[in-house]
Amino acid sequence: MNILVCIKQVPGTTEVKINKETNTLVREGAKGIINPFDTYAIEEGVKLKERFSGKVTVLTMGPPQAEASLRESIEVGADEGILISDRAFAGSDTLATSYVLSKAIAKIGSYDLIIVGKQTMDGDTGQVGPEIAQRLGVPFVAYVSAVEEITDGKIRARQMIDEGYQIVESPLPCVMSVSKEINTPRLPSIRGKMKAKSAKLANWTAKDLGAEENKIGSAGSPTWVMQIFSPKRDHQSEMFQGDAQSKVSKLTQKLSDMKVI
Ligand SMILES: Cc1cc2nc3c(=O)[nH]c(=O)nc-3n(C[C@H](O)[C@H](O)[C@H](O)COP(=O)(O)OP(=O)(O)OC[C@H]3O[C@@H](n4cnc5c(N)ncnc54)[C@H](O)[C@@H]3O)c2cc1C
């Protein structure tokens, strides 16, 4: 099986600075980590490779330092890494990001399964996976918590829904997003660390992908951020004294005054 895993490097801190002029995150100086949901995507790719044999290729679109996340993926069992990096990608929204990733996947050419995390910790839209599927014209299976079987060119998976889960079947190739219930990501092995250190990673630019200028970066992004800010928490508390009966009546009176009830 040819398995592709898309991962994003995100700031490993909540203390991220914001560029007030462009309303974008200032990523310089913030140590990057693999988006936590994507560690489950990598682990599932490696587990499926161990179960059905094949190869796991990890892709990331990001700045040059995202290379470290590709090496970390190889430490835990991925075979190859591709860094998709170009200044022309700066300012990309999810539409432009999925365009670039789908161009890279088309360049790889042959694949059976593409695994993504269910969302990122910073952008948090959960849009990139379904957009890649749409662009490639393949099915999208969301919120997978277990892969039951892969046989006869089909995948049967357990999909989380509000009421519990349902079993879904999809032809391959498809894009699948995974939830954290699917596995427990392994720790790197010494062998993996040595392999990752010397691994030769591919580095693709906009030109390598034949990406159209008006579909990448700010020019290719129909959405933009109007304002970005940390929410102010305005907690007020009031303690009611007395016995239980009087506390309840004071509380209901208060809620009624506030027109909550
Ligand atoms: C208007 C706008 C402007 C933006 N400008 C900038 C900017 O200037 N600079 C900047 O760095 N970011 C910018 N962003 C953020 C950038 O668009 C998102 O980081 C990116 O599109 C991914 O979206 P997300 O984080 O919501 O991912 P989600 O859709 O939540 O991610 C789901 C899954 O898709 C995969 N995935 C997501 N992103 C990537 C990736 N890059 N590579 C590989 N796999 C991936 C992962 O498996 C992930 O778990 C901007 C976003 C918007 C909306």
Side-chain angles (χ1 to χ4, degrees):
M1 270 184 82
N2 206 358
I3 302 166
L4 309 182
V5 182
C6 296
I7 65 163
K8 182 180 176 189
Q9 192 182 66
V10 297
T13 169
T14 49
E15 302 295 314
V16 184
K17 294 195 190 81
I18 293 158
N19 180 329
K20 292 244 165 64
E21 274 168 34
T22 58
N23 281 321
T24 53
L25 300 182
V26 179
R27 288 165 197 270
E28 289 79 30
K31 187 181 163 4
I33 58 166
I34 298 176
N35 173 45
F37 284 113
D38 299 350
T39 60
Y40 301 94
I42 300 165
E43 176 64 25
E44 199 55 26
V46 175
K47 277 179 73 178
L48 292 175
K49 173 183 79 168
E50 290 164 351
R51 225 168 120 189
F52 300 103
S53 86
K55 187 171 84 168
V56 177
T57 305
V58 178
L59 296 88
T60 190
M61 167 185 152
Q65 60 264 32
E67 183 192 309
S69 295
L70 293 176
R71 292 199 188 276
E72 282 169 38
S73 310
I74 294 173
E75 287 180 4
V76 291
D79 299 284
E80 292 176 5
I82 303 174
L83 175 66
I84 307 152
S85 191
D86 196 313
R87 291 204 71 83
F89 299 145
S92 292
D93 67 3
T94 64
L95 204 66
T97 302
S98 65
Y99 171 72
V100 172
L101 289 171
S102 59
K103 289 293 277 183
I105 292 165
K107 185 174 160 75
I108 293 169
S110 124
Y111 52 88
D112 300 295
L113 182 63
I114 300 165
I115 313 179
V116 297
K118 87 179 170 87
Q119 69 202 82
T120 61
M121 251 177 47
D122 56 353
D124 203 4
T125 65
Q127 292 172 358
V128 170
E131 286 177 0
I132 293 173
Q134 171 72 18
R135 288 186 181 283
L136 297 173
V138 300
F140 178 67
V141 185
Y143 307 130
V144 170
S145 61
V147 172
E148 304 253 317
E149 190 51 276
I150 294 182
T151 179
D152 298 331
K154 284 191 213 136
I155 183 167
R156 198 168 64 245
R158 192 181 283 211
Q159 178 179 57
M160 308 247 316
I161 52 172
D162 284 346
E163 298 78 25
Y165 68 87
Q166 61 187 12
I167 302 294
V168 293
E169 203 172 78
S170 165
L172 295 175
C174 73
V175 181
M176 145 177 129
S177 79
V178 296
S179 66
K180 64 182 172 52
E181 290 73 16
I182 195 163
N183 57 44
T184 306
R186 70 192 70 185
L187 293 170
S189 62
I190 303 271
R191 204 160 147 243
K193 275 185 177 283
M194 283 166 66
K195 190 178 167 201
K197 217 170 171 185
S198 57
K200 197 162 163 23
L201 305 172
N203 197 331
W204 291 349
T205 61
K207 199 168 159 221
D208 295 326
L209 302 181
E212 294 172 46
E213 270 176 37
N214 62 350
K215 292 193 176 165
I216 57 175
S218 314
S221 300
T223 56
W224 61 92
V225 179
M226 301 285 288
Q227 198 190 358
I228 192 163
F229 57 90
S230 303
K232 278 207 180 81
R233 303 206 182 274
D234 190 14
H235 286 288
Q236 286 176 356
S237 58
E238 188 176 338
M239 297 290 285
F240 297 109
Q241 306 298 331
D243 59 21
Q245 179 90 37
S246 75
K247 280 194 223 170
V248 169
S249 52
K250 283 177 195 162
L251 177 62
T252 47
Q253 183 60 49
K254 182 88 185 175
L255 293 173
S256 161
D257 293 347
M258 292 166 73
K259 301 202 185 329
V260 176
I261 53 172

CSV table of all heavy atoms in Angstrom, one decimal, residues 64-108:
chain,number,residue,atom,x,y,z
A,64,PRO,N,10.9,26.4,6.0
A,64,PRO,CA,12.0,25.4,6.0
A,64,PRO,C,12.1,24.6,7.3
A,64,PRO,O,12.4,23.4,7.3
A,64,PRO,CB,13.2,26.3,5.7
A,64,PRO,CG,12.7,27.4,5.0
A,64,PRO,CD,11.3,27.7,5.5
A,65,GLN,N,11.8,25.3,8.4
A,65,GLN,CA,12.0,24.6,9.7
A,65,GLN,C,11.0,23.4,9.9
A,65,GLN,O,11.1,22.6,10.8
A,65,GLN,CB,11.9,25.5,10.9
A,65,GLN,CG,10.6,26.3,11.1
A,65,GLN,CD,10.7,27.7,10.5
A,65,GLN,OE1,11.4,27.9,9.5
A,65,GLN,NE2,10.0,28.6,11.1
A,66,ALA,N,10.0,23.3,9.0
A,66,ALA,CA,9.0,22.2,9.1
A,66,ALA,C,9.7,20.9,8.8
A,66,ALA,O,9.2,19.8,9.0
A,66,ALA,CB,7.8,22.4,8.2
A,67,GLU,N,10.9,21.0,8.2
A,67,GLU,CA,11.7,19.8,7.9
A,67,GLU,C,11.9,18.9,9.2
A,67,GLU,O,11.9,17.7,9.1
A,67,GLU,CB,13.1,20.2,7.4
A,67,GLU,CG,13.9,19.0,7.0
A,67,GLU,CD,15.4,19.4,6.7
A,67,GLU,OE1,15.6,20.4,6.0
A,67,GLU,OE2,16.3,18.8,7.3
A,68,ALA,N,12.0,19.6,10.3
A,68,ALA,CA,12.2,18.8,11.6
A,68,ALA,C,11.1,17.9,11.9
A,68,ALA,O,11.3,16.8,12.3
A,68,ALA,CB,12.4,19.8,12.7
A,69,SER,N,9.9,18.3,11.5
A,69,SER,CA,8.7,17.5,11.7
A,69,SER,C,8.7,16.3,10.8
A,69,SER,O,8.2,15.2,11.2
A,69,SER,CB,7.4,18.3,11.5
A,69,SER,OG,7.3,19.3,12.5
A,70,LEU,N,9.2,16.4,9.6
A,70,LEU,CA,9.3,15.3,8.7
A,70,LEU,C,10.3,14.3,9.3
A,70,LEU,O,10.1,13.1,9.3
A,70,LEU,CB,9.8,15.7,7.3
A,70,LEU,CG,8.8,16.6,6.5
A,70,LEU,CD1,9.4,17.1,5.2
A,70,LEU,CD2,7.5,15.9,6.3
A,71,ARG,N,11.4,14.8,9.8
A,71,ARG,CA,12.4,13.8,10.4
A,71,ARG,C,11.8,13.1,11.6
A,71,ARG,O,12.0,11.9,11.8
A,71,ARG,CB,13.7,14.6,10.8
A,71,ARG,CG,14.5,15.1,9.6
A,71,ARG,CD,15.9,15.4,9.8
A,71,ARG,NE,16.4,16.1,8.6
A,71,ARG,CZ,16.9,15.4,7.5
A,71,ARG,NH1,16.9,14.1,7.5
A,71,ARG,NH2,17.3,16.1,6.5
A,72,GLU,N,11.0,13.9,12.4
A,72,GLU,CA,10.4,13.2,13.6
A,72,GLU,C,9.4,12.1,13.1
A,72,GLU,O,9.3,11.1,13.8
A,72,GLU,CB,9.6,14.2,14.4
A,72,GLU,CG,10.5,15.1,15.3
A,72,GLU,CD,9.8,16.3,15.9
A,72,GLU,OE1,8.6,16.1,16.2
A,72,GLU,OE2,10.4,17.4,16.0
A,73,SER,N,8.8,12.3,12.0
A,73,SER,CA,7.9,11.3,11.4
A,73,SER,C,8.7,10.0,11.0
A,73,SER,O,8.2,8.9,11.2
A,73,SER,CB,7.2,11.8,10.2
A,73,SER,OG,6.6,13.1,10.4
A,74,ILE,N,9.9,10.2,10.5
A,74,ILE,CA,10.7,9.1,10.1
A,74,ILE,C,11.2,8.4,11.3
A,74,ILE,O,11.3,7.1,11.4
A,74,ILE,CB,11.9,9.6,9.1
A,74,ILE,CG1,11.3,10.1,7.8
A,74,ILE,CG2,12.9,8.4,8.9
A,74,ILE,CD1,12.2,10.7,6.9
A,75,GLU,N,11.4,9.1,12.4
A,75,GLU,CA,11.9,8.5,13.7
A,75,GLU,C,10.9,7.5,14.1
A,75,GLU,O,11.2,6.5,14.8
A,75,GLU,CB,12.0,9.6,14.7
A,75,GLU,CG,13.3,10.4,14.6
A,75,GLU,CD,13.4,11.5,15.7
A,75,GLU,OE1,12.6,11.5,16.6
A,75,GLU,OE2,14.3,12.3,15.6
A,76,VAL,N,9.6,7.7,13.9
A,76,VAL,CA,8.5,6.8,14.4
A,76,VAL,C,8.0,5.9,13.3
A,76,VAL,O,6.9,5.3,13.5
A,76,VAL,CB,7.4,7.6,15.1
A,76,VAL,CG1,7.8,8.2,16.4
A,76,VAL,CG2,6.8,8.6,14.2
A,77,GLY,N,8.7,5.8,12.2
A,77,GLY,CA,8.4,4.7,11.3
A,77,GLY,C,8.0,5.1,9.8
A,77,GLY,O,7.8,4.2,9.0
A,78,ALA,N,7.9,6.4,9.6
A,78,ALA,CA,7.6,6.8,8.2
A,78,ALA,C,8.8,6.5,7.3
A,78,ALA,O,9.9,6.5,7.8
A,78,ALA,CB,7.2,8.3,8.1
A,79,ASP,N,8.6,6.3,6.0
A,79,ASP,CA,9.7,6.0,5.1
A,79,ASP,C,10.4,7.2,4.5
A,79,ASP,O,11.6,7.3,4.3
A,79,ASP,CB,9.3,5.0,4.1
A,79,ASP,CG,8.7,3.7,4.7
A,79,ASP,OD1,9.6,2.9,5.1
A,79,ASP,OD2,7.5,3.6,4.8
A,80,GLU,N,9.5,8.1,4.0
A,80,GLU,CA,10.0,9.2,3.3
A,80,GLU,C,9.3,10.5,3.7
A,80,GLU,O,8.2,10.5,4.2
A,80,GLU,CB,9.8,9.0,1.8
A,80,GLU,CG,10.6,7.9,1.2
A,80,GLU,CD,10.3,7.6,-0.3
A,80,GLU,OE1,9.5,8.4,-0.9
A,80,GLU,OE2,10.9,6.7,-0.8
A,81,GLY,N,10.0,11.7,3.4
A,81,GLY,CA,9.4,12.9,3.8
A,81,GLY,C,9.5,13.9,2.6
A,81,GLY,O,10.5,13.9,1.9
A,82,ILE,N,8.5,14.7,2.4
A,82,ILE,CA,8.5,15.7,1.4
A,82,ILE,C,8.1,17.1,2.0
A,82,ILE,O,7.1,17.3,2.5
A,82,ILE,CB,7.5,15.4,0.2
A,82,ILE,CG1,7.8,14.0,-0.4
A,82,ILE,CG2,7.6,16.5,-0.9
A,82,ILE,CD1,6.8,13.6,-1.4
A,83,LEU,N,9.1,18.0,1.9
A,83,LEU,CA,8.8,19.4,2.4
A,83,LEU,C,8.4,20.2,1.2
A,83,LEU,O,9.1,20.3,0.2
A,83,LEU,CB,10.1,20.0,3.0
A,83,LEU,CG,10.0,21.4,3.4
A,83,LEU,CD1,9.0,21.6,4.6
A,83,LEU,CD2,11.4,21.9,3.8
A,84,ILE,N,7.2,20.8,1.3
A,84,ILE,CA,6.7,21.7,0.2
A,84,ILE,C,6.8,23.1,0.7
A,84,ILE,O,6.1,23.5,1.6
A,84,ILE,CB,5.2,21.3,-0.1
A,84,ILE,CG1,5.2,19.8,-0.4
A,84,ILE,CG2,4.7,22.1,-1.3
A,84,ILE,CD1,3.8,19.2,0.0
A,85,SER,N,7.8,23.8,0.2
A,85,SER,CA,8.1,25.1,0.9
A,85,SER,C,8.5,26.1,-0.2
A,85,SER,O,9.3,25.8,-1.1
A,85,SER,CB,9.3,24.9,1.8
A,85,SER,OG,9.5,26.0,2.6
A,86,ASP,N,7.9,27.3,-0.1
A,86,ASP,CA,8.2,28.4,-1.1
A,86,ASP,C,7.6,29.7,-0.5
A,86,ASP,O,6.5,29.7,0.1
A,86,ASP,CB,7.5,28.0,-2.4
A,86,ASP,CG,8.0,28.9,-3.5
A,86,ASP,OD1,8.2,30.1,-3.4
A,86,ASP,OD2,8.3,28.3,-4.6
A,87,ARG,N,8.3,30.8,-0.6
A,87,ARG,CA,7.8,32.0,-0.1
A,87,ARG,C,6.5,32.4,-0.8
A,87,ARG,O,5.6,33.1,-0.2
A,87,ARG,CB,8.8,33.2,-0.3
A,87,ARG,CG,10.1,33.0,0.6
A,87,ARG,CD,10.7,34.4,0.8
A,87,ARG,NE,10.0,35.2,1.6
A,87,ARG,CZ,10.0,35.2,3.0
A,87,ARG,NH1,10.7,34.3,3.6
A,87,ARG,NH2,9.3,36.0,3.7
A,88,ALA,N,6.3,31.9,-2.0
A,88,ALA,CA,5.1,32.2,-2.7
A,88,ALA,C,3.8,31.6,-2.0
A,88,ALA,O,2.7,32.0,-2.4
A,88,ALA,CB,5.2,31.6,-4.1
A,89,PHE,N,4.0,30.6,-1.1
A,89,PHE,CA,2.9,30.0,-0.4
A,89,PHE,C,2.4,30.9,0.8
A,89,PHE,O,1.4,30.6,1.4
A,89,PHE,CB,3.2,28.6,0.1
A,89,PHE,CG,3.6,27.6,-1.0
A,89,PHE,CD1,4.6,26.7,-0.7
A,89,PHE,CD2,3.0,27.7,-2.2
A,89,PHE,CE1,4.9,25.7,-1.7
A,89,PHE,CE2,3.4,26.7,-3.2
A,89,PHE,CZ,4.3,25.8,-2.9
A,90,ALA,N,3.2,31.9,1.2
A,90,ALA,CA,2.9,32.7,2.4
A,90,ALA,C,1.5,33.3,2.2
A,90,ALA,O,1.2,33.8,1.1
A,90,ALA,CB,3.9,33.8,2.6
A,91,GLY,N,0.7,33.3,3.2
A,91,GLY,CA,-0.6,33.9,3.2
A,91,GLY,C,-1.7,33.0,2.7
A,91,GLY,O,-2.8,33.4,2.6
A,92,SER,N,-1.3,31.7,2.4
A,92,SER,CA,-2.3,30.8,1.9
A,92,SER,C,-3.4,30.5,2.9
A,92,SER,O,-3.1,30.2,4.1
A,92,SER,CB,-1.6,29.5,1.5
A,92,SER,OG,-0.8,29.6,0.4
A,93,ASP,N,-4.7,30.5,2.5
A,93,ASP,CA,-5.7,30.1,3.3
A,93,ASP,C,-5.9,28.6,3.1
A,93,ASP,O,-5.1,27.9,2.4
A,93,ASP,CB,-7.0,30.9,3.1
A,93,ASP,CG,-7.6,30.7,1.8
A,93,ASP,OD1,-7.1,29.9,1.0
A,93,ASP,OD2,-8.6,31.4,1.5
A,94,THR,N,-7.0,28.0,3.6
A,94,THR,CA,-7.1,26.5,3.4
A,94,THR,C,-7.3,26.1,2.0
A,94,THR,O,-6.8,25.0,1.6
A,94,THR,CB,-8.3,25.9,4.3
A,94,THR,OG1,-9.5,26.5,3.8
A,94,THR,CG2,-8.2,26.3,5.7
A,95,LEU,N,-8.0,26.9,1.2
A,95,LEU,CA,-8.2,26.6,-0.2
A,95,LEU,C,-6.9,26.5,-1.0
A,95,LEU,O,-6.6,25.6,-1.7
A,95,LEU,CB,-9.1,27.7,-0.9
A,95,LEU,CG,-9.9,27.2,-2.1
A,95,LEU,CD1,-10.9,26.2,-1.7
A,95,LEU,CD2,-10.6,28.4,-2.7
A,96,ALA,N,-6.0,27.5,-0.7
A,96,ALA,CA,-4.7,27.5,-1.4
A,96,ALA,C,-3.8,26.4,-0.8
A,96,ALA,O,-3.1,25.8,-1.6
A,96,ALA,CB,-4.0,28.9,-1.1
A,97,THR,N,-3.9,26.1,0.5
A,97,THR,CA,-3.1,25.0,1.1
A,97,THR,C,-3.5,23.7,0.5
A,97,THR,O,-2.7,22.9,0.1
A,97,THR,CB,-3.3,25.0,2.6
A,97,THR,OG1,-3.0,26.2,3.2
A,97,THR,CG2,-2.5,23.9,3.3
A,98,SER,N,-4.8,23.5,0.3
A,98,SER,CA,-5.3,22.2,-0.2
A,98,SER,C,-4.9,22.1,-1.7
A,98,SER,O,-4.6,21.0,-2.2
A,98,SER,CB,-6.8,22.0,0.0
A,98,SER,OG,-7.5,22.9,-0.8
A,99,TYR,N,-4.8,23.2,-2.4
A,99,TYR,CA,-4.4,23.2,-3.8
A,99,TYR,C,-3.0,22.8,-3.9
A,99,TYR,O,-2.6,21.9,-4.7
A,99,TYR,CB,-4.6,24.6,-4.4
A,99,TYR,CG,-4.0,24.8,-5.8
A,99,TYR,CD1,-4.6,24.2,-6.9
A,99,TYR,CD2,-2.8,25.5,-6.0
A,99,TYR,CE1,-4.0,24.4,-8.2
A,99,TYR,CE2,-2.2,25.7,-7.2
A,99,TYR,CZ,-2.8,25.1,-8.3
A,99,TYR,OH,-2.3,25.2,-9.6
A,100,VAL,N,-2.1,23.4,-3.1
A,100,VAL,CA,-0.7,23.0,-3.1
A,100,VAL,C,-0.5,21.5,-2.7
A,100,VAL,O,0.2,20.8,-3.4
A,100,VAL,CB,0.1,23.9,-2.1
A,100,VAL,CG1,1.6,23.5,-2.0
A,100,VAL,CG2,0.1,25.4,-2.6
A,101,LEU,N,-1.2,21.1,-1.7
A,101,LEU,CA,-1.0,19.7,-1.2
A,101,LEU,C,-1.5,18.7,-2.3
A,101,LEU,O,-0.9,17.7,-2.6
A,101,LEU,CB,-1.7,19.4,0.1
A,101,LEU,CG,-1.1,20.1,1.3
A,101,LEU,CD1,-1.9,20.0,2.5
A,101,LEU,CD2,0.3,19.5,1.6
A,102,SER,N,-2.6,19.1,-3.0
A,102,SER,CA,-3.2,18.2,-4.0
A,102,SER,C,-2.2,18.2,-5.2
A,102,SER,O,-2.1,17.1,-5.9
A,102,SER,CB,-4.6,18.5,-4.3
A,102,SER,OG,-4.7,19.8,-4.8
A,103,LYS,N,-1.6,19.3,-5.5
A,103,LYS,CA,-0.6,19.3,-6.6
A,103,LYS,C,0.6,18.4,-6.3
A,103,LYS,O,1.1,17.7,-7.1
A,103,LYS,CB,-0.1,20.7,-6.9
A,103,LYS,CG,-1.1,21.7,-7.5
A,103,LYS,CD,-1.5,21.4,-8.9
A,103,LYS,CE,-0.5,21.9,-9.9
A,103,LYS,NZ,-1.0,21.6,-11.3
A,104,ALA,N,1.0,18.4,-5.0
A,104,ALA,CA,2.1,17.6,-4.6
A,104,ALA,C,1.7,16.1,-4.7
A,104,ALA,O,2.5,15.2,-5.1
A,104,ALA,CB,2.6,17.9,-3.2
A,105,ILE,N,0.5,15.8,-4.3
A,105,ILE,CA,0.0,14.4,-4.3
A,105,ILE,C,-0.1,13.9,-5.7
A,105,ILE,O,0.3,12.8,-6.1
A,105,ILE,CB,-1.4,14.3,-3.5
A,105,ILE,CG1,-1.1,14.5,-2.0
A,105,ILE,CG2,-2.0,12.9,-3.8
A,105,ILE,CD1,-2.4,14.8,-1.2
A,106,ALA,N,-0.6,14.8,-6.6
A,106,ALA,CA,-0.7,14.5,-8.0
A,106,ALA,C,0.7,14.2,-8.6
A,106,ALA,O,0.9,13.3,-9.4
A,106,ALA,CB,-1.4,15.6,-8.8
A,107,LYS,N,1.7,15.0,-8.1
A,107,LYS,CA,3.1,14.8,-8.6
A,107,LYS,C,3.6,13.4,-8.1
A,107,LYS,O,4.3,12.7,-8.9
A,107,LYS,CB,4.0,15.9,-8.1
A,107,LYS,CG,5.4,15.9,-8.6
A,107,LYS,CD,6.2,17.1,-8.1
A,107,LYS,CE,7.7,17.0,-8.1
A,107,LYS,NZ,8.3,17.0,-9.4
A,108,ILE,N,3.2,13.0,-6.9
A,108,ILE,CA,3.6,11.7,-6.4
A,108,ILE,C,3.0,10.6,-7.3
A,108,ILE,O,3.6,9.6,-7.7
A,108,ILE,CB,3.2,11.5,-4.9
A,108,ILE,CG1,4.0,12.4,-4.0
A,108,ILE,CG2,3.4,10.0,-4.5
A,108,ILE,CD1,3.5,12.5,-2.6
